[in-house]
Amino acid sequence: MVVGCRWGDEGKGKIVDVLAEEAHVVARYQGGANAGHTVHVGDDQFVLHQIPSGILHADKRCLLGNGVVLDVLDFFEEYDDLAEWGIDLDDRVGVSQRAHLLMPYHRALDHALENQAKQKIGTTGRGIGPAYEEKAGRRGLRVADLANAERVQGLVEAGVERARERIESMGGDCDDGLDGAVESALAAGERLRGLATDTGLEIMQALQGGKRVLLEGAQGTALDLDHGTYPFVTSSNTTAGGAATGSGIGPTAIDTVIGVVKAYTTRVGNGPLPTAFDEAMDEKVRALGGEFGATTGRPRRCGWFDAVLSRLAARVNGLTGLAVTKLDVLDTLPEVCIATSYRTPDGLVEEFPADTWQLGSVEPVYETLPGWQESTEGARSLGDLPAAARRYLDRIEEVTGTPVQMVSVGTRRSQIIRV
Ligand code: GDP
């Protein structure tokens, strides 16, 4: 499986795209249309929100597991766009019968909640939080329900009613278009029934048949509902354990967990970023790395490599290897830094603190290494990299306790080093 080690946007899309080549089945296990994976194929650029990036390789079966909250209108927009690009989708996409549907009223509620919140989370406004709330509250609408029109009607009417009440109690107004949007979503739901499957069963049968399965994480470890920077997190378990529950297989079926880290750190949305650059450096790296959100277009805040957070990611995900992306973005810098611990009022800490509010005032302790000031874009093996870049990667391995197994040095599929 592939999991993000930070706040998402680590370049998982590219890594999944590369690894999908060797897989038969690629599955998403959590999140929804709040994810945005950017994949470059030839001169084309695709931003995939819900369908696994494996779809861009012919013949891969792509699944959305029970752990996702599926925005059915968005889903078919993406599906039809892919078809229009000439991608053969026949029998290639499956959606868990146990997945919950994200409905237009979840989106409306998300906007209302975020607008009135004193402490904004910085959500993507896609309705993810409210959809998971309904799931945990045992009021959600699942793909399996779509076969029963009466049940659907009951669940949807109650859902709309609850959303209206909550929005109005916050002084908001329910959008006039809501009823129409709900109708469209239900029509799309009919279409979805043809794709319904038991993802856990399919994955286990694939594994038993000697096939390779790739589980694709969205967002990242620091956005995990339990292990991330709560409350500035997403509403699902993004970490490796979530891959088992969210796809319907046992944890022992997962034998390889690749954690994706950028060679530096970025964060979109609200909440602390301990290793944040100063303003000038922030702007420089944002421009070099094109750091704008794939889903919302928001500028991402940038900072140095954070080994404290990476160690948390290594531990809670049980990482077997790291994929370091965007090494090329640092090519022109005279020096590069790694935060190895945080200075806090209570002394030095080497493990990521649970108290998110404390995180806002920690002072990272940096180790400075020489930059390489040479292009890495053409490197296809570690030996092709400048010595200083190799040293940087060696140091990342040491401070995270995890072997670097892949290094990405550009947006193209071919710009990858396998170790
Ligand atoms: P994801 O959500 O984790 O897949 O990350 P995004 O897709 O939001 O962001 C990754 C962005 O970085 C995309 O535009 C990728 O094409 C790009 N990218 C991925 N790997 C590399 C790399 O090694 N170098 C450069 N320059 N860009 C990369």
Side-chain angles (χ1 to χ4, degrees), residues 8-14 36-38 40 294 300 325-329 408-411:
D9 311 319
E10 297 92 349
K12 293 177 299 296
K14 154 101 186 251
H37 291 320
T38 317
H40 294 258
R300 296 173 182 152
T325 63
K326 294 192 131 176
L327 186 68
D328 55 297
V329 173
S408 175
V409 290
T411 55

Side-chain angles (χ1 to χ4, degrees), residues 334-396:
E335 47 190 32
V336 287
C337 298
I338 296 177
T340 51
S341 58
Y342 297 153
R343 199 168 282 125
T344 75
D346 305 327
L348 273 191
V349 295
E350 297 208 332
E351 297 303 329
F352 201 72
D355 184 349
T356 301
W357 309 105
Q358 184 193 0
L359 209 53
S361 59
V362 302
E363 206 186 302
V365 177
Y366 289 114
E367 219 177 88
T368 305
L369 289 93
W372 40 98
Q373 298 190 286
E374 214 180 297
S375 172
T376 56
E377 286 178 8
R380 297 295 173 267
S381 72
L382 285 181
D384 295 340
L385 288 174
R390 286 207 305 274
R391 190 162 157 220
Y392 182 58
L393 294 172
D394 286 347
R395 195 61 193 134
I396 286 176

Side-chain angles (χ1 to χ4, degrees), residues 5 69 143 172 195 210 213 359 364 367 376 383 387-388 400 403 418:
C5 292
V69 283
V143 172
L195 303 179
V213 178
L359 209 53
E367 219 177 88
T376 56
T400 59
R418 307 286 290 268

